[in-house]
Amino acid sequence: MNKEKIILVIDQMAVAMEKQKEFLTELDNVIGDGDHGINMARGFSETIKKRDSLAKMDAGDMIKNLGMILVSTVGGASGPLYGTAFMKAGMFLKGKEEVTFPDFLEAFACAIEGVMARGKAAEGEKTMLDAMLPAKRAMEQEWMLSGDGKKSMEAGLTAARKGIEYTKTIIATKGRAAYLGERSIGHQDPGATSFVFLLEAIASQM
Amino acid sequence: MVGFVIVSHSRMLAESVADFTRLMAERVTVIPAGGLEDGSFGTSYQLISDAIEEANSGDGVLVLMDMGSAVMTTEMVLESMENHKVKMVDCPLVEGAVAGTIAAAGGQSLEMIYRNLTKSGYVNKF
């Protein structure tokens, strides 16, 4: 994927966040503080305002700066979490003008590590990690088998969507949803859901 | 004198905690960084980072937070600053702010206040 495509991915992410703003906020109203959709839409609309300066950077700086924009504009937990994810991925991709699928896989692994460290969270706690980690494993496996980026991304999306379903079955132990205890069962995690929309935006340009 | 920053999702909560500390430690600088720039609920990277600048008179700053993104956003502000005289403290927000500012008014050092505050979560109220 070249730089021009990456800018289109960012556009798609912004479009998706605007489109899903109410849905994500509704999900967050049930088990959180009800600002996830609004926050993500605000953060990504800011990236669109800075689109021209992002387009001039190499792929790594572009993604790192996207993360920095999210940290300073999102205003909720998703700001530092997605912000850290994009910043770590961008740092890994430093200096690259083009991102291959193996590059993407490694950058994604760095992003996940960043989220785990920032949120002090692991899999099975009803967070975005419950979509991210299955996606990572599925993509790596499919890439090993077929070496086909598109197919690998499809496998990742399927696993991530299953991850969302899985979050409905478990108790939240991180964030404000944790205060709900068992009452959080039956509801899907907003962060895992927004992650799938972001991954779809990446897939749309492959 | 050590300065303080109160980070909260709520502008009013941060302002009130800061205001409350003036009752017993009027001379201590306590800067609230609550809510987003427009006053709505949330945590703002910019407001936190400005508040830390403003609170620092040279003897360092202790940052007290409520929860979640307040903690994570503060963490990211501190990572970008690399100033060793700014520390975030894991302690109850109201009690920590009161105890910390009284200690600061008495001339205690950043390290000493920090150590005492991190233990303050284990004190029983009754």
Side-chain angles (χ1 to χ4, degrees), chain B residues 81-99:
Chain B
M81 286 184 159
E82 287 175 14
N83 182 342
H84 299 300
K85 279 192 134 179
V86 181
K87 273 179 178 271
M88 49 198 281
V89 197
D90 189 2
C91 68
L93 188 62
V94 179
E95 292 84 341
V98 171

Side-chain angles (χ1 to χ4, degrees), chain A residues 185-200:
Chain A
I185 293 180
H187 306 287
Q188 74 193 62
D189 179 61
T193 311
S194 60
F195 168 70
V196 170
F197 295 141
L198 297 181
L199 199 61
E200 281 172 355

Side-chain angles (χ1 to χ4, degrees), chain A residues 111-129:
Chain A
I112 293 176
E113 260 177 51
V115 170
M116 294 177 92
R118 180 71 61 209
K120 297 183 179 62
E123 202 168 357
E125 294 187 302
K126 204 181 182 97
T127 71
M128 58 174 78
L129 288 169

Side-chain angles (χ1 to χ4, degrees), chain A residues 15-69:
Chain A
V15 168
M17 288 304 114
E18 190 54 42
K19 193 174 142 208
Q20 305 292 350
K21 181 160 80 173
E22 271 160 42
F23 175 57
L24 290 172
T25 293
E26 234 167 77
L27 293 178
D28 197 28
N29 259 329
V30 187
I31 55 169
D33 51 359
D35 60 4
H36 188 49
I38 299 163
N39 285 346
M40 291 295 282
R42 177 174 45 227
F44 274 95
S45 76
E46 207 59 40
T47 67
I48 296 307
K49 285 185 201 153
K50 303 210 166 94
R51 190 182 192 277
D52 290 346
S53 64
L54 288 175
K56 291 192 194 98
M57 301 171 185
D58 68 57
D61 278 344
M62 197 188 286
I63 294 166
K64 184 179 158 200
N65 274 276
L66 164 65
M68 286 159 69
I69 294 170

Side-chain angles (χ1 to χ4, degrees), chain A residues 86-181:
Chain A
F86 283 109
M87 284 165 73
K88 294 283 179 196
M91 283 185 233
F92 174 79
L93 298 168
K94 194 175 169 53
K96 289 191 191 296
E97 294 291 324
E98 197 146 333
V99 178
T100 65
F101 197 75
D103 289 339
F104 165 74
L105 283 180
E106 287 209 48
F108 185 40
C110 295
I112 293 176
E113 260 177 51
V115 170
M116 294 177 92
R118 180 71 61 209
K120 297 183 179 62
E123 202 168 357
E125 294 187 302
K126 204 181 182 97
T127 71
M128 58 174 78
L129 288 169
D130 294 319
M132 286 176 151
L133 283 160
K136 172 178 178 279
R137 288 191 293 266
M139 288 192 281
E140 284 171 350
Q141 197 185 9
E142 182 56 41
W143 178 254
M144 279 229 297
L145 287 173
S146 67
D148 183 329
K150 257 188 154 165
K151 263 173 98 175
S152 306
M153 185 53 93
E154 272 313 311
L157 271 172
T158 306
R161 290 187 188 114
K162 271 192 201 149
I164 294 182
E165 293 308 309
Y166 167 65
T167 64
K168 290 183 185 170
T169 67
I170 53 176
I171 294 180
T173 55
K174 280 284 174 308
R176 248 174 287 173
Y179 297 137
L180 292 173

Side-chain angles (χ1 to χ4, degrees), chain A residues 33 39 42 71-72 74-77 80-81 83-84 87 118-120 176 179, chain B residues 9 36-38 40-46 67-69 72-73 75-76 79:
Chain A
D33 51 359
N39 285 346
R42 177 174 45 227
V71 174
S72 30
V74 167
L81 291 170
T84 302
M87 284 165 73
R118 180 71 61 209
K120 297 183 179 62
R176 248 174 287 173
Y179 297 137
Chain B
H9 283 69
L36 299 178
E37 279 87 344
D38 65 2
S40 61
F41 290 116
T43 47
S44 157
Y45 186 94
Q46 195 58 48
M67 56 177 77
S69 67
M72 290 190 283
T73 308
E75 206 170 66
M76 294 194 81
E79 280 168 18

